[in-house]
Amino acid sequence: MSEKIAALIAAVEEDMTLEEVRKALGDGADPLSLVEALREGMAVVGDKYEAREYFLPDLILSAEIFKESIALIEPHLQSGNTTTKGAVVIGTVHGDIHDIGKNIVATMLKCNGYDVHDLGVDVPPQVFVEKASSTQAGLVAMSGLLTLAFDAMKDTVDALAEAGLRDKAKVIIGGGPVNEKVLEYCGADAFGKDPAEAVRLANRYLA
Ligand code: B12
């Protein structure tokens, strides 16, 4: 069932993907495995775009299918999950509107018991600061796929420090091009390559 869902979203089949997700949920499938299937499918879409097999409309529609599918899955993820392991603020940094990966990371953190405050895309440093302060978040997670996102990540880390929050909140970063060098440049605590790593880091910092 998961393989079929991955293949359908990879083929940008909106109605069929949603139908299959509804069917899987109705059959009692593990909601986490459905999120993972959607993630795999989205990775294929990204690869096909790079290979010029897919074009902008495919990307936009696949992102929409992903969001619609997650909306169907989310109520099943949260049921029975009443205690929180801590507050996490997440967003795509200023100047960048890519949110497919960020949404997957946010969903996986929610599934793992974190109280996730998703600020959306193109988030200015000050907005991260205000949310981290008002929620007393122990973790700020930033996503960015553009090269220019590196500066926005650095600015956000600096803004958190200026607001006196740097010793209260760990900062993690991720998104396609993020690596050790970017981590060093922007002064965050750690970077992750996938949602599983985001969850591992949250468990490490907020346990
Ligand atoms: C989809 C896409 C788009 C979609 C975005 C739709 C959406 N709602 O997100 C649209 C069409 C809108 C788009 C627009 C643009 N895009 Co674009 N886009 C892509 C594409 C093909 C796939 C990205 C994606 O969603 N991948 C799938 C997800 C699941 O992967 P991911 O984001 O990396 O996330 C995973 C991990 O990185 C990690 N992760 C992510 N965030 C975090 C955070 C933390 C804390 C952790 C631990 C982990 C983590 O977990 C995620 C799940 O596995 C990439 C190419 C690529 N293959 O990456 C180009 C790409 C990123 N885009 C690119 C560009 C240039 C643009 C535009 C500027 C194009 C233009 N000229 O207008 C605009 C951006 C405008 C802006 N201001 O942001 C370039 C960036 C080049 C660069 N070095 O700066 C790329 C690399 C394409 C290319 N090769 O040229 N894009």
Side-chain angles (χ1 to χ4, degrees):
M1 200 168 273
S2 289
E3 271 169 33
K4 192 167 177 190
I5 288 170
L8 284 171
I9 193 167
V12 202
E13 289 286 355
E14 185 173 20
D15 292 344
M16 284 161 79
T17 306
L18 295 177
E19 192 187 312
E20 201 59 31
V21 169
R22 278 195 201 95
K23 205 166 123 213
L25 290 168
D27 290 348
D30 170 16
L32 275 183
S33 71
L34 302 184
V35 177
E36 176 55 21
L38 291 164
R39 189 193 68 77
E40 279 171 24
M42 288 308 297
V44 174
V45 173
D47 291 346
K48 289 196 174 195
Y49 177 75
E50 300 267 87
R52 295 177 193 274
E53 275 177 62
Y54 279 177
F55 300 96
L56 268 183
D58 303 302
L59 291 182
I60 292 164
L61 181 54
S62 63
E64 197 49 41
I65 301 172
F66 179 81
K67 278 185 194 165
E68 289 168 353
S69 302
I70 292 295
L72 293 174
I73 296 169
E74 256 182 1
H76 296 260
L77 292 167
Q78 284 162 358
S79 58
N81 206 354
T82 48
T83 54
T84 164
K85 284 156 84 180
V88 179
V89 170
I90 190 168
T92 300
V93 294
H94 186 49
D96 195 330
I97 60 158
H98 294 89
D99 68 354
I100 298 170
K102 185 265 295 169
N103 291 345
I104 299 175
V105 171
T107 302
M108 294 306 277
L109 287 168
K110 271 187 216 164
C111 304
N112 282 276
Y114 291 97
D115 179 18
V116 177
H117 301 267
D118 188 345
L119 300 173
V121 299
D122 190 13
V123 181
Q126 206 49 37
V127 175
F128 275 104
V129 169
E130 279 156 22
K131 199 51 146 186
S133 171
S134 66
T135 59
Q136 299 187 330
L139 188 69
V140 173
M142 293 190 276
S143 183
L145 267 75
L146 299 176
T147 314
L148 64 81
F150 307 158
D151 282 325
M153 286 174 173
K154 183 176 173 4
D155 291 346
T156 308
V157 173
D158 292 347
L160 287 165
E162 270 166 38
L165 294 171
R166 203 56 190 88
D167 54 342
K168 298 187 180 77
K170 294 285 184 188
V171 180
I172 62 171
I173 56 172
V178 168
N179 58 24
E180 196 69 48
K181 278 202 170 136
V182 179
L183 174 66
E184 218 171 279
Y185 174 70
C186 70
D189 294 295
F191 76 98
K193 282 279 163 204
D194 55 43
E197 241 175 309
V199 171
R200 265 197 302 279
L201 290 168
N203 289 342
R204 188 205 295 169
Y205 292 135
L206 298 181

